[in-house]
Amino acid sequence: MHAISVTGLRKSFGDHVVLDGLDLSVHSGTVFALLGANGAGKTTTVKILSTLLSADAGDARVAGHDLAREPDAVRAAIGVTGQFSAVDTLLTGEENLLLMADLNHLGRGARRARVAQLLDQFDLVDAAKKPAMSYSGGMRRRLDLAMTLVGSPRVIFLDEPTTGLDPRSRRTMWQIIRDLVAGGVTIFLTTQYLEEADELADRIAVLDGGKLVAEGTAAELKRRIPGGHVRLRFADQHGLDTAMSVLGQASRDNDALALRVPSDGSLRALKALIDQLDHRSIQVDELSVHTPDLDDVFLALTDQKVTR
């Protein structure tokens, strides 16, 4: 089942085309990451799919509801955590969550129970009575996401949720996202941190100039970019020479007694290489597979500098 399905989505601001016929689908209970440089259309996509902005053309269904004809049903099924925290810093963490519980029309008993559950889930119990202005950046981000979850959404849009966080807070947020998905929630994630997409996403799409230029798993996208290879290291010069005569296209490192064999990193290519070596009874001391990372993919597909 698709949690999100989009066909031909278009949006322009004046003469500037932001989305140019966007097509994508997101399976339920997965993390879908949308990558792109600043201005690529990521935030516009999130705003349209979360009913905050209308599209100029195209069809979309979110959580089984038509975006144009059933916006209220879409809103009831989703949660949104934007680039900038929606936390009221004058209120305590608990008061922020109680406010969201009131906006979601939870009963008195239900709202107290839900708030207590979320404070515990996001490790905010000790800070619950403190003003949010005293929270660290990571704590505010956790509170922001907890507020999104008050209404138990089935689909959550996270628009660059870890921007500005330190590495430890970022990894804490990653674990929270994994736990949500394990509970059946669908996450639509936009990010400029390529490591984040690599760590979390079941599928990744690359947006450039308002169009999807690639989509697939992290491994599939990496295999599209030249530069992948298998490194073989041998115990002696004889093994190196024999392997070189068999493999042909490999480049050699005599000092390290190693060969670099071009490969797309797939299981099929690796098995074919091993079969070649086994057929000639060539002993290999060490084998390692090297593929381009998402930085390479992003640069190759968008010709943009990577934001770290």
Side-chain angles (χ1 to χ4, degrees), residues 95-158:
E95 288 169 343
N96 270 284
L97 289 169
L98 287 171
L99 175 61
M100 291 302 298
D102 287 340
L103 292 173
N104 279 275
H105 307 292
L106 298 186
R108 187 176 185 83
R111 73 173 191 149
R112 286 288 177 183
R114 184 63 173 150
V115 167
Q117 176 192 0
L118 289 169
L119 287 171
D120 180 63
Q121 180 181 348
F122 286 84
D123 194 23
L124 293 169
V125 173
D126 292 341
K129 303 292 186 182
K130 299 177 182 178
M133 68 174 63
S134 68
Y135 287 14
S136 66
M139 291 172 66
R140 288 191 195 182
R141 217 54 175 130
R142 296 204 308 273
L143 176 59
D144 198 20
L145 184 52
M147 291 166 63
T148 299
L149 293 176
V150 168
S152 301
R154 291 149 51 196
V155 178
I156 299 177
F157 294 94
L158 300 180

Side-chain angles (χ1 to χ4, degrees), residues 167-221:
R168 178 173 294 179
S169 296
R170 183 173 295 125
R171 291 187 179 276
T172 298
M173 185 64 75
W174 290 355
Q175 188 56 51
I176 289 171
I177 291 171
R178 291 188 187 101
D179 292 341
L180 289 172
V181 174
V185 174
T186 303
I187 303 290
F188 188 101
L189 170 72
T190 74
T191 182
Q192 292 189 63
Y193 293 109
L194 305 184
E195 181 191 7
E196 185 161 271
D198 210 353
E199 282 280 339
L200 297 175
D202 297 287
R203 290 189 69 79
I204 298 169
V206 181
L207 190 63
D208 187 42
K211 296 182 178 181
L212 283 188
V213 293
E215 183 179 351
T217 66
E220 288 169 347
L221 292 180

